[in-house]
């Protein structure tokens, strides 16, 4: 279901902010806990061994897709071309394909969750109507991909339930173990500008537990100072 402009002015614009890129360890740590995404990044990454170089290549085009006024002219085709060969076997022996709508949507959902968290941390809490409107824009962003909408929650409340359920199924994977140090102390791209203490507070609680992270009072103070200095206008 494509053809309409996928984004407009307002909160969705924060996708283009450096603050959203600062928050990426939250999304990526959850992605690496998904068995299919874990296997895919270990088997198919164009930057093997460097998770942030991989994301530096893949995230900006994904963000740009949220703002294209005519996504149907090229985005679904690009998604197929860039993802069709990303397939293989998970650590437990199950087969995966990156164009599986359930897998594709979960990765998108981690970015939606991180966008909500970006605005909350760097600007302030989202109101009920703001959350609803922002989620609607994120649904349009997902539709631009041309992937089945079957997994797409209809409302932001449905999304909250979906995300709780999906993150509750995640586990420590080979990719999470391999990239643990890079997630907590990035050395490339915009996440490298984020203090480690702030990253520890940015993590989703499920990922924090899996990574053995318990933010300290010092971490929270570092995070508060960093988010204040980098606040969204």
């Amino acid at each position: 279901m494509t053809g309409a402009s996928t984004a407009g002015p307002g909160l969705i614009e924060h996708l283009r902010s450096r603050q959203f890129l600062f928050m990426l360890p939250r999304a990526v740590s959850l992605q690496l806990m998904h068995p299919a995404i874990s296997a895919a990044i270990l088997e198919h990454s164009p930057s093997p061994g460097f998770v942030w170089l991989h994301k530096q290549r893949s995230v900006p085009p994904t963000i740009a897709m949220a703002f294209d006024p005519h996504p149907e002219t090229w985005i679904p085709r690009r998604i197929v071309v860039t993802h069709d060969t990303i397939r293989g076997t998970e650590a437990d022996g199950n087969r995966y394909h990156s164009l599986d709508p359930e897998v594709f949507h979960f990765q998108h959902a981690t970015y939606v969750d991180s966008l909500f968290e970006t605005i909350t941390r760097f600007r302030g809490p989202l109101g009920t109507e703001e959350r609803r409107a922002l989620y609607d824009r994120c649904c349009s962003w997902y539709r631009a991909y041309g992937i089945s909408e079957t997994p797409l929650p209809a409302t932001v409340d449905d999304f909250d339930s979906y995300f709780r359920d999906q993150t509750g199924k995640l586990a420590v994977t080979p990719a999470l173990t391999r990239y643990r140090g890079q997630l907590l102390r990035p050395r490339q791209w915009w996440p490298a500008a984020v203090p480690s203490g702030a990253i520890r507070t940015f993590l989703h609680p499920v990922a924090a537990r899996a990574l053995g992270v318990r933010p300290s009072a010092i971490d929270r103070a570092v995070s508060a100072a960093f988010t204040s200095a980098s606040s969204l206008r």
Side-chain angles (χ1 to χ4, degrees):
M1 185 173 166
T2 58
S5 177
T6 60
L11 294 167
I12 193 73
E13 292 291 336
H14 293 315
L15 265 178
R16 290 171 160 160
S17 70
R18 72 182 188 278
Q19 290 85 353
F20 177 72
L21 301 180
F22 290 158
M23 190 60 65
L24 283 178
R26 180 182 179 93
V28 175
S29 57
L30 290 173
Q31 292 169 14
L32 296 186
M33 294 180 69
H34 190 287
I37 299 172
S38 168
I41 199 166
L42 291 177
E43 295 179 39
H44 296 282
S45 173
S47 304
F50 297 95
V51 69
W52 293 116
L53 294 181
H54 173 86
K55 291 299 177 180
Q56 186 175 13
R57 291 166 58 107
S58 63
V59 172
T62 301
I63 292 172
M65 291 175 188
F67 299 93
D68 193 283
H70 301 290
E72 73 283 356
T73 63
W74 67 280
I75 292 176
R77 183 172 66 253
R78 178 188 170 106
I79 292 294
V80 171
V81 168
T82 56
H83 289 77
D84 189 49
T85 59
I86 303 176
R87 60 182 78 197
T89 305
E90 298 172 8
D92 61 5
N94 290 324
R95 301 289 295 173
Y96 73 86
H97 193 298
S98 66
L99 289 175
D100 178 337
E102 298 289 343
V103 175
F104 203 94
H105 178 263
F106 176 74
Q107 181 154 290
H108 170 82
T110 66
Y111 294 133
V112 174
D113 166 75
S114 288
L115 179 58
F116 287 156
E117 194 71 12
T118 297
I119 297 169
T120 298
R121 297 291 188 104
F122 289 93
R123 190 214 65 172
L126 283 157
T128 300
E129 284 305 306
E130 285 184 316
R131 290 190 88 247
R132 182 198 60 75
L134 179 57
Y135 180 69
D136 287 349
R137 294 293 189 181
C138 289
C139 287
S140 296
W141 176 23
Y142 179 79
R143 293 184 183 108
Y145 303 141
I147 302 294
S148 170
E149 294 178 37
T150 300
L152 184 66
T155 69
V156 70
D157 291 336
D158 293 336
F159 175 82
D160 291 341
S161 297
Y162 160 86
F163 206 65
R164 282 193 300 270
D165 179 65
Q166 292 298 308
T167 55
K169 298 175 183 177
L170 300 177
V172 175
T173 64
L176 188 77
T177 300
R178 177 173 184 179
Y179 293 117
R180 181 183 186 277
Q182 294 184 40
L183 292 170
L184 297 178
R185 194 180 292 271
R187 289 289 183 261
Q188 293 89 28
W189 201 32
W190 281 100
V194 185
S196 295
I199 287 178
R200 288 191 286 271
T201 70
F202 288 172
L203 294 173
H204 189 282
V206 167
R209 287 192 296 270
L211 292 166
V213 169
R214 297 182 66 180
S216 66
I218 292 176
D219 291 336
R220 289 188 286 273
V222 168
S223 182
F226 176 74
T227 54
S228 176
S230 308
S231 62
L232 290 164
R233 301 294 183 232

